[in-house]
Amino acid sequence: MKINWGTGIVLAFIGFISFILYFVFRMSTDDRANHDLVTEEYYKKELTYQQELDASNSATEMNANLTVEKTDEGLVIYFPERFDPTKISGTVSLYRPSNKHLDTNFPISLSKTHLLIPDNRLVDGRWDITVKWEYEGKSFMHKEKLTY
């Protein structure tokens, strides 16, 4: 049987379309391909973005910046010493971009000017740390990216 150029073009198109459909099907059913949004309720979170900017700016204006340090015991977050630690409240959010199951939130409860997050709670790799805290009705926020 002799194949002319028209039949060859049609077979090439059919082969190409089959190739593309195979990979689309394979990628959409593969469990390793993660197609989730970055965070849950992404659009609701974007509505509070201005409040986050204000809290971050107030931390800069009042010189209430935090220091995050990696130690042998874990991750230590140092709050400004001029603030009374018993009046500080808020949350520490640890976000893992590569695995949403490792994301955790810690309430801030201080007796000293630092907060320790134990080493056994953290896996090596990149973490996005967000500390939202209040002191005497004033909101502050600190964001940092850390490779642990």
Side-chain angles (χ1 to χ4, degrees):
M1 179 176 162
K2 188 173 181 182
I3 297 177
N4 64 12
W5 64 271
T7 307
I9 290 175
V10 169
L11 289 175
F13 277 129
I14 290 172
F16 179 72
I17 291 170
S18 300
F19 174 75
I20 295 297
L21 289 176
Y22 167 73
F23 276 106
V24 167
F25 177 75
R26 184 169 177 215
M27 288 297 116
S28 64
T29 59
D30 192 3
D31 291 336
R32 292 177 294 166
N34 188 359
H35 303 294
D36 294 334
L37 286 175
V38 175
T39 58
E40 297 294 326
E41 298 181 355
Y42 174 78
Y43 297 108
K44 186 185 285 187
K45 185 176 178 183
E46 286 298 313
L47 294 175
T48 63
Y49 188 66
Q50 185 60 45
Q51 294 169 348
E52 291 180 3
L53 285 176
D54 294 341
S56 182
N57 288 339
S58 65
T60 304
E61 290 170 2
M62 293 187 63
N63 197 18
N65 296 321
L66 306 180
T67 305
V68 179
E69 185 178 298
K70 179 183 170 183
T71 63
D72 293 335
E73 295 87 28
L75 196 64
V76 181
I77 301 171
Y78 294 99
F79 288 84
E81 291 187 10
R82 69 176 191 273
F83 293 144
D84 182 15
T86 58
K87 295 181 181 179
I88 295 174
S89 64
T91 59
V92 177
S93 300
L94 297 174
Y95 169 71
R96 180 68 180 227
S98 62
N99 187 350
K100 70 178 178 181
H101 300 292
L102 295 175
D103 296 350
T104 55
N105 292 323
F106 296 98
I108 297 174
S109 177
L110 300 175
S111 59
K112 297 181 181 176
T113 59
H114 65 276
L115 175 69
L116 173 67
I117 299 171
D119 187 46
N120 61 357
R121 303 281 246 148
L122 301 170
V123 179
D124 290 345
R126 180 177 165 214
W127 290 93
D128 292 347
I129 301 167
T130 304
V131 182
K132 294 180 182 178
W133 56 290
E134 290 185 7
Y135 182 76
E136 295 181 345
K138 187 86 171 160
S139 296
F140 301 98
M141 190 170 101
H142 176 83
K143 283 188 175 184
E144 187 171 329
K145 293 177 181 12
L146 177 75
T147 303
Y148 193 74

